[in-house]
Amino acid sequence: MNYFISWQGENIASLPVPSGLANRSDVKLSRLEGKGLSKNRNNCIRIAKEYQAYGYFLIADEDVNFLDGFENQIENAFATHSEADLLCFQVKSKEENNPFKNYPLKSHSVSLKSIDRISSVEIAGKMEVLDQVRFDVRLGLGADFPSGEETAFLADCIRSGKRIIYCPAAIVSHPFETSGKRRVNMFSDQALQLVGGRSYRIYGPKISQVFFFYSAIKNFGKYRNTRSFFSYLKQLHRGVRKFKKLENG
């Protein structure tokens, strides 16, 4: 097993490599100036490709712990689902009384309809997937649209013909509280614009329009005291226009 680390930050070139990593032959580290989670992910992919990594890839963050036996769990799952290019597993919450998510109990194929709740640390894939797909640098922490990068990644995988299957088994543990769960106001102008632009990128112009109307109707009782139905739609479409400017810029 090899570990590819993209070390990102400002003025990072002058920082020494941590002593615990400097002499490990199984660790390949690359410094990356600036910010942007998707840029960092893509830098890791670049390193892995340069070293001709093979087998399976996982995505990890600094607050994730891999569970005992996770390697066998992944290998057995790919043996069971040999047709899969990617598998999506579960995360075990580090707070026992707070399940990380309400996961389905049975395996199933993952489609565009079911990718929006998948986190990057739940994903395992065959290295060949990365020959075609990268993370969109306009999405993710540090970007103009600071979420949705893993959902867009999975959507691109599906559109390129990759098969994704969910497996009801945990491979990592993670604190219950995440940046994605800390939402102050889901119906503010900024939040709705984020949803609008992100959805346009992930689902395309036609499906996103259907989603906008569905979302506006479904959530009406939650936002009716703060904005109108048409104001809700207006902010979603404003987010689309903002993303298009990035797209064409």
Side-chain angles (χ1 to χ4, degrees), residues 73-74 77 87-91 103 122-124 166-167 169-171:
Q73 189 81 261
I74 292 169
L87 298 176
C88 297
F89 292 90
Q90 295 180 356
V91 174
Y103 289 103
E122 297 168 345
I123 299 170
Y166 160 75
C167 296
I171 58 171

Side-chain angles (χ1 to χ4, degrees), residues 45 48-49 52-58 78 82-86 124-134 153 156-157 160-163:
I45 295 173
K49 288 297 180 182
Q52 299 180 337
Y54 61 91
Y56 307 121
F57 70 87
L58 301 171
F78 270 110
S82 57
E83 75 281 14
D85 299 291
L86 300 103
K126 296 177 179 177
M127 282 299 299
E128 294 80 8
V129 170
L130 302 179
D131 291 338
Q132 295 178 276
V133 185
R134 294 289 188 275
F153 176 84
D156 291 347
C157 287
S160 65
K162 302 297 183 286
R163 181 84 185 273

Side-chain angles (χ1 to χ4, degrees), residues 167-179:
C167 296
I171 58 171
V172 298
S173 64
H174 188 284
F176 173 75
E177 195 68 28
T178 68
S179 58

Side-chain angles (χ1 to χ4, degrees), residues 113-139:
K113 294 180 180 179
S114 55
I115 59 175
D116 63 328
R117 295 188 70 249
I118 296 173
S119 303
S120 58
V121 296
E122 297 168 345
I123 299 170
K126 296 177 179 177
M127 282 299 299
E128 294 80 8
V129 170
L130 302 179
D131 291 338
Q132 295 178 276
V133 185
R134 294 289 188 275
F135 287 89
D136 192 325
V137 297
R138 298 166 296 184
L139 302 174

